[in-house]
Amino acid sequence: MVTVAESNLPPRSSWLAIMSKRLFDGPVNTVVTLLCIGFFAWLLYWIIDWVFLSSIWSKDDVEQCKEATGACWSVIHARHRIILFGLFPFEEHWRSTLACVVMIVTMIASCVSWFWTARRLSILWVAGFATFYVLMQGGYFGLTTITPERWGGLALTIFIFAAVSIIGMPLSVLLALGRRSKLPVIAKLVGLFIDFFRSLPLLTILFTAAVITPFVLPGWLQGDKLYRVIVGFAIFFACYQAENIRAGLQAIPPGQDEAGLTLGLSYWHRVFRIQLPQAFRNSLPAIINQFVITFKETSIVTIVGFFEILASGNAAYGTGEWTQHYIEVYAFIGFIYFIFVFSLSRYGAYLEKRLRVGHV
Amino acid sequence: MSDQQSNAQAAVTMSGVNKWFDEFHVLKDIELNVTLGEKIVICGPSGSGKSTLIRCICKLEDHQRGDITVLGKALNDDISNIDEIRREVGMVFQQFNLFPHMTVMENCTLAQMLVRKKSRKEAEEIAMNFLNKVRIPEQAMKYPGELSGGQQQRVAIARSLCMNPQIMLFDEPTSALDPEMISEVLDVMVSLAEEGMTMVCVTHEMGFARRVADRVIFMDGGEIVEQNEPETFFNKPQNERTQLFLSQILQH
């Protein structure tokens, strides 16, 4: 017997009923479904077996690696310092570790909404970068000086990513606003600038920044190679991100700005309080996407002679006894990339949900 | 003395105002005087330039020829004049144009704090006062997307009033609303008129025009064709075009 309340609801099938209807209706579908389940179960078992069951973990069991059918994690055990720290002096590795932690904490903190005022964010990032710099570079508080050529591994990857983002984001906002300027000269010039840098491969830009600019720029403007590369990378990042933000700005109905005008709000107030918050919400998926791409593209700096995590990984298995075990090294590096990029994506998804407040 | 007095009472003066959108001559030699406290209703077929006309008053559109003076200040390219005029003129739009990423309360306090430099507490008190007046104080913490069209338009009116404007412009405030929500917005506008607010309204609500307007203006083809106090305007329209327009909209 159907009660009144039930009869008002749309009919719903159980999970099991849906599965049997879609996957097991008829002999052919049943066979295909079973085959697929079997294949994925085998694949899963094979991975678990390789990673955990048949793998060698201890550094002392190197000899066993030759017979083992699973992964030889001993290579990570023995070489993780090279992978994580590159050419950074061995006895100073604690500084690099601490610097990484500081940078990661800064990144996580800047995702917390309490920090989302211009003042708090800038204090946070200045403090984060300063601490990172002092720890890595040294020269203060009795720390020995280590120049950026010897920075490497995870710390370098994180530093490049953070520095590119923090220089690139404000720049991208300025470029996006510039390209929408009512003054044709500014709009055209900014448009040319963006299209120029977007037309060049990142590799060319990094190479130019590292190798060619020293011949062109006056000495006091050159700075270290690392900083030139970061600035080049940041401009590249900003040009792409500017187009994402501009897309978000275009999507805002003109009435929003008009409402701001009639309330007497100034240009910058309209930009920061009305336009940008809505633009960021509109193009959040694309903006996060650009961050994801940028994190992975940091590996390209290898080409101009920096030992970020992927290059250090290559060095880690490159010597004698470990040459067989590059898969384990790449799996390890892949896992580190995954942790960063996956958390970035999840953070993006969280933001999207949060910013959808009140939007029906 | 009398000259000064009449100047002091002038809210909006438009003389010889012309405007083009590229080739299209949208406003032709507009002459319009609005005194403080006066309520004007502008009607006319779509494309007649009525929205453009009131948008010129707060410089959302530039005019190319003629003079516009608002509250004694010339509306030209002098940016400080424009800022000052915009602060004293409130505008309500057909599409409400509430800020969707802010609560109703934040919508009402933003400009007060940034432009009028009021403290948050003071701004919120003023906002609550006007939200009470438009009869939706209970929605203060909601986002615009959670409100009905009529409620959103009332918030938009409250948001404008929070800036304590001397003139209110309404650009078809009820045209985007479902029929059952029109009266709640008109009620708010009527009570605003009764309090003596200077109002220039572009609207097709002829009942509202009859009830509150001091003058009804009919525009067609970028010109002011006819203007009169409502009684005469509706009962004895002089111009053919006015007669035709009125017969069309009052048919049903």
Side-chain angles (χ1 to χ4, degrees):
Chain A
M1 196 185 136
V2 181
T3 67
V4 179
E6 271 173 9
S7 69
N8 278 337
L9 292 170
R12 282 169 75 172
S13 319
S14 78
W15 179 81
L16 214 64
I18 294 172
M19 293 294 275
S20 71
K21 194 174 155 199
R22 295 201 180 149
L23 301 175
F24 295 100
D25 58 334
V28 179
N29 268 0
T30 307
V31 169
V32 170
T33 303
L34 288 177
L35 276 178
C36 287
I37 291 176
F39 174 73
F40 285 115
W42 173 79
L43 192 68
L44 192 67
Y45 172 77
W46 187 85
I47 292 173
I48 291 175
D49 181 59
W50 187 80
V51 175
F52 298 107
L53 303 180
S54 312
S55 58
I56 310 292
W57 291 80
S58 160
K59 190 161 62 169
D60 308 319
D61 302 334
V62 183
E63 286 309 311
Q64 290 179 29
C65 274
K66 295 206 171 88
E67 286 100 54
T69 53
C72 176
W73 297 120
S74 320
V75 60
I76 306 300
H77 200 153
R79 307 290 277 169
H80 69 275
R81 286 201 175 217
I82 299 274
I83 300 175
L84 293 177
F85 305 110
L87 302 175
F88 211 72
F90 187 85
E91 59 283 5
E92 308 288 352
H93 280 178
W94 64 272
R95 278 162 58 181
S96 188
T97 312
L98 205 55
C100 272
V101 171
V102 166
M103 215 32 130
I104 292 169
V105 168
T106 307
M107 283 193 233
I108 292 173
S110 66
C111 293
V112 178
S113 58
W114 188 82
F115 280 101
W116 292 351
T117 66
R119 206 166 130 235
R120 285 175 188 163
L121 263 189
S122 34
I123 291 174
L124 177 72
W125 279 103
V126 167
F129 270 109
T131 318
F132 181 93
Y133 179 80
V134 168
L135 280 168
M136 291 295 282
Q137 172 90 20
Y140 303 93
F141 312 115
L143 299 171
T144 47
T145 304
I146 299 162
T147 52
E149 297 92 72
R150 300 173 72 194
W151 299 4
L154 184 60
L156 186 61
T157 295
I158 290 178
F159 179 69
I160 293 174
F161 173 68
V164 165
S165 311
I166 206 71
I167 300 171
M169 268 324 271
L171 187 59
S172 68
V173 169
L174 286 181
L175 289 174
L177 293 174
R179 197 167 195 176
R180 281 168 55 86
S181 168
K182 284 204 182 82
L183 305 171
V185 181
I186 293 181
K188 284 262 157 39
L189 282 179
V190 172
L192 268 178
F193 181 87
I194 290 175
D195 291 341
F196 177 77
F197 278 98
R198 282 199 310 163
S199 316
L200 297 172
L202 179 56
L203 216 64
T204 325
I205 294 175
L206 296 187
F207 195 73
T208 310
V211 183
I212 300 176
T213 44
F215 298 113
V216 185
L217 289 180
W220 57 272
L221 243 178
Q222 280 178 25
D224 190 86
K225 183 165 89 170
L226 178 60
Y227 299 112
R228 291 201 306 274
V229 165
I230 284 174
V231 168
F233 204 154
I235 291 174
F236 179 82
F237 169 86
C239 288
Y240 276 89
Q241 199 68 297
E243 292 295 276
N244 291 336
I245 294 173
R246 194 166 67 94
L249 287 169
Q250 311 276 57
I252 303 172
Q256 289 289 308
D257 202 45
E258 289 176 356
L261 276 174
T262 55
L263 288 170
L265 296 174
S266 70
Y267 173 77
W268 291 110
H269 281 149
R270 295 198 311 279
V271 165
F272 281 106
R273 298 306 193 90
I274 297 169
Q275 296 183 358
L276 285 179
Q278 296 187 57
F280 277 118
R281 196 199 72 221
N282 291 340
S283 48
L284 193 68
I287 289 173
I288 295 289
N289 197 28
Q290 198 61 44
F291 277 113
V292 166
I293 292 171
T294 302
F295 189 84
K296 293 192 282 191
E297 276 184 343
T298 52
S299 58
I300 294 181
V301 300
T302 320
I303 216 79
V304 288
F306 287 108
F307 276 78
E308 48 66 61
I309 193 163
L310 196 62
S312 322
N314 286 335
Y317 72 78
T319 52
E321 50 187 328
W322 300 113
T323 40
Q324 305 297 315
H325 300 295
Y326 55 91
I327 293 180
E328 286 86 344
V329 171
Y330 284 134
F332 178 67
I333 295 170
F335 182 64
I336 293 176
Y337 272 104
F338 179 82
I339 290 174
F340 278 96
V341 174
F342 191 72
S343 1
L344 196 56
S345 309
R346 293 322 300 163
Y347 174 66
Y350 155 79
L351 264 191
E352 255 180 79
K353 208 163 151 189
R354 203 190 123 105
L355 295 180
R356 213 183 294 132
V357 170
H359 292 272
V360 189
Chain B
M1 178 70 199
S2 73
D3 199 41
Q4 257 183 352
Q5 215 168 15
S6 70
N7 261 342
Q9 290 190 335
V12 182
T13 313
M14 301 176 106
S15 67
V17 172
N18 279 273
K19 174 169 178 60
W20 289 262
F21 285 124
D22 294 324
E23 302 279 285
F24 181 55
H25 199 173
V26 60
L27 294 180
K28 298 173 186 162
D29 295 320
I30 299 291
E31 303 286 335
L32 175 68
N33 290 298
V34 184
T35 53
L36 276 180
E38 205 177 6
K39 291 115 192 85
I40 309 274
V41 165
I42 304 177
C43 60
S46 75
S48 59
K50 51 198 192 307
S51 283
T52 311
L53 186 142
I54 69 163
R55 285 164 62 86
C56 280
I57 298 176
C58 54
K59 196 81 174 170
L60 286 181
E61 305 284 353
D62 295 322
H63 58 286
Q64 279 100 26
R65 204 188 318 141
D67 298 308
I68 304 179
T69 310
V70 181
L71 298 165
K73 291 185 192 68
L75 196 57
N76 44 30
D77 292 330
D78 185 338
I79 291 178
S80 69
N81 269 8
I82 298 174
D83 284 348
E84 229 169 302
I85 288 167
R86 280 189 182 140
R87 257 174 264 152
E88 300 304 327
V89 178
M91 175 114 175
V92 175
F93 301 87
Q94 184 178 351
Q95 300 296 343
F96 330 135
N97 294 346
L98 293 176
F99 306 133
H101 58 297
M102 298 179 193
T103 62
V104 164
M105 179 56 93
E106 286 164 345
N107 265 280
C108 292
T109 55
L110 179 77
Q112 290 192 66
M113 285 155 59
L114 296 179
V115 180
R116 300 276 193 220
K117 309 287 176 207
K118 293 207 157 75
S119 70
R120 178 178 295 277
K121 189 165 170 283
E122 203 182 346
E124 284 181 350
E125 272 169 23
I126 293 172
M128 245 6 237
N129 181 24
F130 284 109
L131 287 174
N132 265 315
K133 199 169 205 166
V134 300
R135 293 188 284 277
I136 36 173
E138 71 282 1
Q139 312 286 1
M141 291 309 146
K142 288 197 182 163
Y143 285 87
E146 298 169 297
L147 306 184
S148 73
Q151 290 173 323
Q152 290 192 51
Q153 193 59 296
R154 285 186 282 151
V155 171
I157 295 173
R159 177 176 71 175
S160 273
L161 292 176
C162 282
M163 294 299 284
N164 195 23
Q166 299 192 49
I167 304 171
M168 284 288 284
L169 308 174
F170 292 84
D171 188 1
E172 305 206 30
T174 55
S175 301
L177 296 178
D178 290 330
E180 75 272 21
M181 293 170 185
I182 290 176
S183 70
E184 66 188 52
V185 171
L186 289 181
D187 286 348
V188 168
M189 289 169 67
V190 168
S191 64
L192 198 58
E194 282 164 359
E195 285 164 28
M197 175 64 78
T198 311
M199 294 162 74
V200 181
C201 316
V202 171
T203 180
H204 292 141
E205 299 299 333
M206 291 303 134
F208 171 79
R210 268 182 212 274
R211 194 162 155 201
V212 306
D214 296 313
R215 223 178 337 146
V216 183
I217 292 176
F218 174 69
M219 281 184 76
D220 191 15
E223 296 167 310
I224 293 181
V225 175
E226 184 168 350
Q227 49 180 313
N228 229 320
E229 36 95 27
E231 191 65 22
T232 326
F233 181 88
F234 288 111
N235 297 335
K236 298 192 193 86
Q238 306 295 309
N239 192 292
E240 261 174 51
R241 285 190 276 176
T242 320
Q243 289 160 5
L244 179 67
F245 177 76
L246 285 177
S247 74
Q248 278 166 340
I249 64 166
L250 297 176
Q251 220 165 30
H252 302 287

